[in-house]
Amino acid sequence: MEIERINENTVKFYISYMDIEDRGFEREEIWYNRERSEQLFWQMMDEVNYKEDFNVDGPLWIQVQALEKGLEIIVTKAHISKNGDNIELQTDEGNAVDFPVDKKIENMLEDKFSKEDEEDSEQYNDENLWIIASFKDFEDVIQLSHYFINDELGTVETLYHYNDTYYLYMEFLEDEIEEEEQENMISKVFEFGNDTDITNHVLSEYGKIIFEQNTFSNIRAYFPANI
């Protein structure tokens, strides 16, 4: 489980479905069995508390986002005013926001994170084919880059470093490259890299960007082929 401390009152964490199953829960239980979903939630909160000293001492606001291969969960400790009319919620910039008790927290969080979600959707088109490959050795990425000297038109490549591993996100622009050529390029990538279950969401949130775009040409510029 990946944990990110936003501020004193807010924590965000990501858990994969595989991790959920390793903890003894079925995916269907999370959505349809309230008792089991609460068990999983408090199990995760115990881990968050242990690693981040995030003590639960009041009301919690929870946002759960279902991703392709896991769940992203944002938990915020809220404080109700003395008169009981307003709730104070800490944003990730550290600012306190007051809003009426009857205002749904989901609406406020949606406003808060909608801009970020829109930017992600503009950068990556879900209609295009994309892959993510992992590389333990950067030398493999260098060698791969020299196989793509004439093949880069029509692709978007981003290189990340995360947990001592390099990850290549590669998207194929549907209008600029034929399906057969896509398959050939994918074969080249997996000659040097390995398939992975990690998501682009996790990489963009927790990984370090080495090259945001034009990965292969940038690598060749730093590491030219030996003649």
Side-chain angles (χ1 to χ4, degrees), residues 15-164:
I15 183 169
S16 69
Y17 293 126
M18 185 178 297
D19 192 356
I20 289 173
E21 292 175 356
D22 289 343
R23 293 167 184 257
F25 297 87
E26 298 294 335
R27 187 183 306 190
E28 291 75 12
E29 291 180 321
I30 306 307
W31 304 116
Y32 303 114
N33 189 321
R34 179 175 179 178
E35 182 178 352
R36 291 288 284 167
S37 63
E38 289 180 353
Q39 289 176 5
L40 174 62
F41 173 76
W42 290 113
Q43 185 182 112
M44 292 187 294
M45 288 303 300
D46 286 341
E47 184 174 337
V48 171
N49 182 31
Y50 175 76
K51 293 182 178 179
E52 294 291 338
D53 193 25
F54 191 79
N55 294 308
V56 177
D57 53 5
L60 294 178
W61 297 117
I62 305 165
Q63 181 192 39
V64 180
Q65 182 178 1
L67 305 175
E68 181 182 358
K69 296 186 179 180
L71 302 176
E72 180 188 82
I73 303 170
I74 300 172
V75 179
T76 299
K77 292 188 286 188
H79 305 281
I80 300 177
S81 63
K82 291 182 179 180
N83 60 18
D85 294 332
N86 291 289
I87 293 175
E88 182 182 272
L89 185 69
Q90 201 79 6
T91 69
D92 58 359
E93 286 86 6
N95 302 318
V97 176
D98 291 322
F99 59 95
V101 171
D102 60 357
K103 179 176 180 179
K104 291 185 178 181
I105 187 66
E106 291 85 354
N107 295 337
M108 197 217 71
L109 288 173
E110 182 178 356
D111 294 340
K112 181 73 183 68
F113 294 101
S114 60
K115 182 177 180 181
E116 178 180 325
D117 293 339
E118 289 172 3
E119 290 175 353
D120 288 343
S121 63
E122 290 176 1
Q123 183 176 3
Y124 301 109
N125 183 353
D126 290 339
E127 295 181 359
N128 291 332
L129 175 66
W130 56 268
I131 59 171
I132 297 178
S134 65
F135 304 82
K136 275 295 184 182
D137 194 334
F138 187 66
E139 181 64 31
D140 291 330
V141 188
I142 295 175
Q143 293 186 40
L144 175 64
S145 71
H146 289 281
Y147 278 81
F148 277 86
I149 294 177
N150 299 317
D151 294 334
E152 290 172 39
L153 291 178
T155 64
V156 176
E157 318 108 34
T158 302
L159 185 66
Y160 299 90
H161 187 252
Y162 174 66
N163 281 353
D164 297 324

